[in-house]
């Protein structure tokens, strides 16, 4: 019985990993394309003295603010749209909402955003200033 449970956990883990890998790759691609559009701006900022760390921090903080806003919007939508009872009343009961699961998923999204935004920002911040400005 223990081996079957282990394989069940492994199977669900693989499925969860694949389901989360697709949005991670999509988010990373979107962030990279946004960075490429802003490459001249980042080059000008580097030319005026911004360090690689400063640019990286600004891009990451911008993405974290967007993630926090998305999480708050998701929580508001969860409360108002998804949790309407059969009587038409909106409410969060303990059977419908697990705060620990929501916080864990939200923290996972923050970490996912950190990696998917951090990698393109790191690559763009390391470019030569003239290459950045010329596009």
């Amino acid at each position: 019985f223990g081996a079957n449970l282990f394989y069940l956990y492994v199977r669900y883990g693989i499925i969860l990993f694949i389901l989360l890998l697709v949005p991670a790759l999509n988010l990373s691609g979107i962030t990279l394309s946004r960075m490429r559009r802003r490459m001249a701006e980042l080059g000008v900022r580097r030319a005026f003295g911004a360090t690689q760390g400063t640019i990286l921090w600004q891009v990451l903080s911008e993405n974290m603010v967007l993630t926090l806003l998305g999480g708050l919007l998701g929580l508001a939508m969860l409360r108002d749209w998804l949790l309407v009872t059969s009587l038409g009343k909106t409410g969060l009961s303990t059977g419908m909402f697990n705060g620990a699961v929501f916080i864990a998923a939200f923290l996972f999204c923050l970490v996912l955003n950190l990696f998917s935004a951090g990698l393109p920002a790191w690559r763009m911040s390391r470019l030569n200033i003239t290459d950045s400005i010329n596009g």
Side-chain angles (χ1 to χ4, degrees), residues 50-135:
T51 63
Q52 292 176 1
T54 303
I55 290 175
L56 187 64
W57 171 253
Q58 288 173 345
V59 169
L60 288 177
S61 61
E62 175 185 312
N63 278 304
M64 288 301 151
V65 166
L66 291 175
T67 300
L68 289 172
L69 289 175
L72 292 175
L73 180 67
L75 184 60
M77 287 174 45
L78 176 76
R79 184 176 184 280
D80 291 339
W81 291 350
L82 298 178
L83 299 179
V84 177
T85 64
S86 61
L87 300 175
K89 295 182 180 180
T90 303
L92 293 174
S93 69
T94 56
M96 299 170 83
F97 178 74
N98 187 342
V101 172
F102 181 80
I103 290 173
F106 187 70
L107 289 175
F108 181 80
C109 288
L110 281 174
V111 170
L112 181 67
N113 190 13
L114 178 69
F115 286 120
S116 66
L119 221 69
W122 179 74
R123 285 181 55 200
M124 290 298 153
S125 70
R126 294 182 52 95
L127 282 177
N128 190 357
I129 295 173
T130 55
D131 292 338
S132 311
I133 293 174
N134 291 333

Side-chain angles (χ1 to χ4, degrees), residues 20-37 59 63 109 111-124:
L20 292 175
L21 182 66
V22 171
L25 293 174
N26 188 22
L27 186 60
S28 183
I30 290 170
T31 305
L32 183 60
S33 70
R34 237 179 56 215
M35 288 293 112
R36 287 187 183 180
R37 280 186 284 155
V59 169
N63 278 304
C109 288
V111 170
L112 181 67
N113 190 13
L114 178 69
F115 286 120
S116 66
L119 221 69
W122 179 74
R123 285 181 55 200
M124 290 298 153

Side-chain angles (χ1 to χ4, degrees), residues 1-30:
F1 181 74
N4 289 337
L5 188 62
F6 172 75
Y7 289 120
L8 182 68
Y9 283 146
V10 168
R11 183 184 326 157
Y12 283 139
I14 291 171
I15 290 170
L16 185 65
F17 177 74
I18 291 171
L19 287 175
L20 292 175
L21 182 66
V22 171
L25 293 174
N26 188 22
L27 186 60
S28 183
I30 290 170

